[in-house]
Amino acid sequence: MLWIDTHTHLYSEEFEADREEMVARAIAAGVDKLFLPNIDESSIEGMLALEAKHPDHIYAMMGIHPCYVKEAVDEQLDLVKAWLQQRSFKAIGEIGLDFYWDKSLLIQQYKAFQEQLMLAREYGLPVSIHSREATRECINEVKALQDGRLSGVFHCFSGTLEEAKEIIDLGFYLGIGGVVTFKKSGLDKLLEEIDLAHIVMETDAPYLAPVPYRGKRNESAYLPLAGEKVADIKNLKIADVADITSSNARKLFKML
């Protein structure tokens, strides 16, 4: 039974003391493939070093997280473009919009999101979309640019059933992680209505640890706990959830 963690920040400073042990725990738990979204220029070195050390398990994305967009967003975008020209990446990410933390650079957020969606079309890469309190706006941006070449995942999906159906109709997946184990998340009701063909699993480690680790540091080894909850909701064997969601992830990242 093998899992794919489609969104995990293994390079984060929260793993400084035990990063290699944490990676080993994930692989031992059956989490065989781990995809790393980039944050900004500061995370690239650590991310690529991890990928180089574990080429059979760890894969890098390239992008600018909306919470790390700066006033000089053009310079950040130029760096993303330069890296995409230098070498291959598995996806463009983590990109999107965030209306939760700070709305002072919304113009820059929108510019970064739109330009990175266009880069995804140009390079034929999927995107990993961050949409905190901005799911509707992110859907609208994807719709405006969807010409059949855009694919990806709405990471840490927390929208409505109607939004989920729109995302699926756009050819995108829903990213489900530890939040599904939270009693009041509402994801249980949503997942009852969504076929697993449209779901990929993720942790967003070190954030959003599942029960019973809620409030503590998350890590990729905990992914099966979220998978177990999905299996309960869908009345399936956990092995089936692992197989289906991992197959979806391989399609998403063109690893079939």
Side-chain angles (χ1 to χ4, degrees):
M1 185 167 61
L2 297 177
W3 299 90
I4 294 179
D5 188 348
T6 61
H7 195 109
T8 178
H9 302 272
L10 303 184
Y11 49 76
S12 173
E13 63 183 15
E14 281 89 341
F15 298 118
E16 203 63 46
D18 64 341
R19 183 171 286 108
E20 284 304 310
E21 294 87 343
M22 179 269 300
V23 172
R25 284 193 295 271
I27 295 169
V31 186
D32 186 60
K33 307 290 183 189
L34 307 108
F35 289 83
L36 276 53
N38 191 52
I39 295 298
D40 65 5
E41 55 275 13
S42 70
S43 53
I44 296 172
E45 182 179 355
M47 177 181 69
L48 295 183
L50 266 170
E51 183 189 54
K53 196 166 189 177
H54 302 277
D56 295 328
H57 299 284
I58 293 176
Y59 306 91
M61 306 183 200
M62 178 49 60
I64 311 166
H65 189 297
C67 292
Y68 292 79
V69 165
K70 299 174 182 175
E71 279 198 33
V73 67
D74 288 332
E75 294 177 13
Q76 291 181 293
L77 288 166
D78 285 344
L79 183 62
V80 168
K81 292 170 186 174
W83 273 107
L84 290 171
Q85 289 168 359
Q86 283 180 49
R87 50 151 289 168
S88 63
F89 290 88
K90 283 297 181 184
I92 306 284
E94 173 173 0
I95 68 175
L97 301 170
D98 188 301
F99 294 173
Y100 178 79
W101 289 110
D102 184 2
K103 293 184 178 180
S104 64
L105 294 175
L106 281 186
I107 292 172
Q108 289 86 346
Q109 278 197 44
Y110 270 102
K111 180 170 187 178
F113 189 29
Q114 291 162 355
E115 290 210 12
Q116 289 178 105
L117 286 173
M118 288 188 283
L119 285 170
R121 291 196 316 192
E122 179 183 345
Y123 284 89
L125 292 173
V127 293
S128 181
I129 294 178
H130 174 108
S131 57
R132 190 166 187 185
E133 295 197 0
T135 303
R136 165 50 50 202
E137 290 80 4
C138 285
I139 290 172
N140 291 344
E141 293 303 312
V142 171
K143 273 187 177 178
L145 291 171
Q146 179 59 287
D147 62 353
R149 288 183 290 166
L150 284 177
S151 64
V153 53
F154 273 67
H155 142 67
C156 197
F157 179 76
S158 60
T160 65
L161 178 59
E162 291 70 25
E163 288 168 338
K165 289 178 177 177
E166 283 187 69
I167 288 165
I168 291 165
D169 287 343
L170 285 166
F172 279 63
Y173 292 92
L174 308 177
I176 301 296
V179 175
V180 75
T181 68
F182 301 173
K183 282 186 177 179
K184 296 181 180 179
S185 73
L187 283 175
D188 52 348
K189 300 298 183 188
L190 179 110
L191 286 176
E192 287 173 3
E193 306 294 328
I194 300 293
D195 193 286
L196 272 193
H198 309 299
I199 302 297
V200 294
M201 300 299 297
E202 60 174 50
T203 59
D204 200 23
Y207 316 108
L208 301 173
V211 174
Y213 301 104
R214 186 175 182 180
K216 299 179 180 179
R217 185 191 76 171
N218 197 7
E219 59 178 86
S220 292
Y222 298 162
L223 184 66
L225 294 171
E228 187 173 8
K229 179 64 176 178
V230 173
D232 289 343
I233 293 167
K234 302 299 286 182
N235 196 26
L236 291 169
K237 294 178 181 177
I238 189 169
D240 292 334
V241 174
D243 289 346
I244 294 167
T245 59
S246 295
S247 176
N248 295 341
R250 286 192 291 272
K251 290 175 190 172
L252 173 66
F253 293 113
K254 300 179 175 68
M255 297 183 72
L256 288 174

